Amino acid sequence: MSVHVAIIGAGLGGLVLARVLHVHGIVATVYEAEPSAMARTQGGQLDIHEQDGQVALAAAGLTREFRAIIHPGGEATRVLDRNGAVLLDSPDDGTTGRPEVLRGDLRCILLDSLPGGTVQWGKKLASLAALGGGRHELHFTDGSTVTTSLLVGADGAWSKVRPLLSSATPDYIGTTFVETYLHDVDTRHPATAVAAGSGALFALDPGQGIFAHREAGGILHAYVALNRPVEWIAGIDSNDTVAVRARVAAEFDGWAPALTALVNDGETAPALRPLYTLPTGHRWERVPGVTLLGDAAHLAPPAGEGANLALLDGAELGHAIIAHPDDIETALAVYEAAMFPRSAKAAADGHDMLALLLGARAPFALLDFFSGAFVA
Ligand SMILES: Cc1cc2nc3c(=O)[nH]c(=O)nc-3n(C[C@H](O)[C@H](O)[C@H](O)COP(=O)(O)OP(=O)(O)OC[C@H]3O[C@@H](n4cnc5c(N)ncnc54)[C@H](O)[C@@H]3O)c2cc1C
């Protein structure tokens, strides 16, 4: 196969695609904007599901490496109300099929599995031009240029490749996460450590909540969630740590101190993360020589599927290329035919889950969901 596969973005989706192609002897180059693998902490624990993320890692031949980085105990779940009362305490009995790993560890496994030079760091795509016949010319911010006969946009929410296929852009969905960290929690924040338990914590009230996860090394990593209009977010100076903390803390006035410690006592600057999504069911007509995967294709609310879908997209696109090495258009059409309905359903489910978590019946709708009694 003489096609040059150019993948924009070394997130989980782009890397698994490169790995699956490599396993089958097809060379790809991943162009990544960040200057190095260590340029940014990858933070955050991901639950990797049996039906998608784990399938992709098996296709990449990395199941053993994946098993070695699972965080034991991470599948435990607690639901609390704003007063800190425990409404559900579900231990990690290893049966959920959703083991937890750190995103950074998973990315390292994928990077280590690729031949040196596969990922070209510091290559931020600035613009592209269609040359006809499925070929594209890529222009990077460092002044370099590459021509490719198969372009894959794995470049996330604000994809530069997407406009070749679609005019859709992400919209704010009315919910903002504020990301915080507590370290050495058993010693420094014992009440919060006890409240959170060994895995995931959902402390919920209508319109707002605190999602936290215990990570290895005594770390509590939290997303403080608020349903607020875009003007509310715009009114906060995101560079002013004191102002962000005070503004968010005011919204949690009266909550249990063990929970508000995740708002007030964070040991890193709280990061505002307004949530954006593409339209549910986003799709495009076939355009020769280019496709998208992961968030670039189907950015949805972060309800625990995004990374898993990106992994599966990467693996399935790899398999489609391997199955049709001399007919790229058929490969891309086969990949997209399965990816479009899968991601549309996941996006709809993600919106439903966010509404359930932060809706008028919080926290009880989540209890119904876990007991199987929830009706949308
Ligand atoms: C707050 C939050 C919490 C989440 N929690 C979870 C969770 O628990 N479980 C889960 O499954 N999903 C979760 N997600 C979703 C998940 O993070 C994404 O769906 C997933 O990372 C998508 O992977 P990707 O490979 O498509 O894109 P990304 O991970 O976004 O990777 C894109 C890559 O492209 C690079 N890039 C971007 N632009 C360019 C350019 N112009 N040129 C070159 N490179 C470029 C970026 O630097 C990046 O490395 C969460 C998302 C958010 C926002």
Side-chain angles (χ1 to χ4, degrees):
M1 181 193 188
S2 61
V3 72
H4 171 216
V5 186
I7 302 166
I8 308 299
L12 298 177
L15 290 175
V16 94
L17 169 60
R19 167 66 185 177
V20 169
L21 292 175
H22 167 65
V23 166
H24 292 270
I26 297 175
V27 177
T29 305
V30 183
Y31 299 96
E32 167 56 47
E34 291 178 357
S36 75
M38 299 302 160
R40 177 172 60 90
T41 57
Q42 295 288 313
Q45 208 145 265
L46 301 170
D47 49 331
I48 301 299
H49 309 161
E50 272 173 351
Q51 72 276 16
D52 39 34
Q54 292 184 40
V55 171
L57 291 166
L62 295 171
T63 297
R64 188 171 50 84
E65 290 80 353
F66 159 68
R67 294 260 154 232
I69 58 165
I70 289 172
H71 171 45
E75 291 173 77
T77 303
R78 280 188 168 195
V79 181
L80 275 62
D81 69 11
R82 56 183 282 150
N83 303 312
V86 178
L87 306 176
L88 176 89
D89 186 7
S90 170
D92 179 357
D93 57 9
T95 60
T96 66
R98 305 159 75 98
E100 300 271 347
V101 301
L102 282 175
R103 182 194 291 264
D105 291 349
L106 192 53
R107 195 179 191 225
C108 276
I109 287 176
L110 287 161
L111 287 170
D112 290 348
S113 75
L114 293 168
T118 301
V119 180
Q120 303 268 306
W121 300 99
K123 290 285 180 188
K124 182 171 186 178
L125 183 68
S127 63
L128 8 69
L131 301 177
R135 294 169 69 245
H136 291 89
E137 189 172 76
L138 315 178
H139 300 267
F140 297 96
T141 53
D142 65 359
S144 59
T145 300
V146 167
T147 301
T148 180
S149 49
L150 175 48
L151 172 62
V152 179
D155 49 344
W158 304 101
S159 172
K160 283 268 186 203
V161 179
R162 191 191 299 127
L164 288 173
L165 293 155
S166 147
S167 59
T169 53
D171 278 333
Y172 177 61
I173 59 167
T175 302
T176 289
F177 282 2
V178 185
E179 187 174 16
T180 68
Y181 282 91
L182 295 182
H183 294 106
D184 197 11
V185 284
D186 298 309
T187 308
R188 296 167 67 171
H189 309 280
T192 307
V194 169
S198 65
L201 160 73
F202 297 86
L204 305 172
D205 214 29
Q208 62 196 81
I210 300 174
F211 311 134
H213 216 292
R214 185 167 176 128
E215 297 178 355
I219 293 172
L220 273 174
H221 179 192
Y223 292 112
V224 179
L226 288 161
N227 283 354
R228 298 293 182 273
V230 73
E231 299 76 28
W232 187 87
I233 310 302
I236 304 176
D237 178 358
S238 58
N239 297 315
D240 183 343
T241 298
V242 175
V244 173
R245 203 167 275 150
R247 194 70 189 81
V248 177
E251 305 293 318
F252 287 84
D253 193 27
W255 283 51
L259 297 174
T260 54
L262 289 159
V263 181
N264 301 325
D265 301 342
E267 284 143 353
T268 54
L272 289 176
R273 306 215 181 281
L275 301 184
Y276 286 79
T277 66
L278 285 166
T280 299
H282 177 237
R283 58 191 297 144
W284 52 85
E285 298 298 322
R286 189 81 299 292
V287 172
V290 57
T291 193
L292 305 174
L293 62 74
D295 280 2
H298 45 71
L299 179 66
E305 272 297 339
N308 285 279
L309 289 181
L311 288 165
L312 187 60
D313 287 356
E316 289 206 343
L317 177 55
H319 279 152
I321 295 168
I322 292 154
H324 304 280
D326 301 316
D327 185 356
I328 286 306
E329 286 314 297
T330 297
L332 300 187
V334 165
Y335 156 71
E336 290 170 355
M339 182 270 288
F340 287 142
R342 175 173 69 229
S343 50
K345 175 166 187 336
D349 289 350
H351 283 281
D352 288 350
M353 179 52 78
L354 201 59
L356 179 155
L357 290 169
L358 301 177
R361 289 195 58 246
F364 301 103
L366 183 60
L367 298 178
D368 290 349
F369 176 81
F370 282 129
S371 72
F374 179 77
V375 180

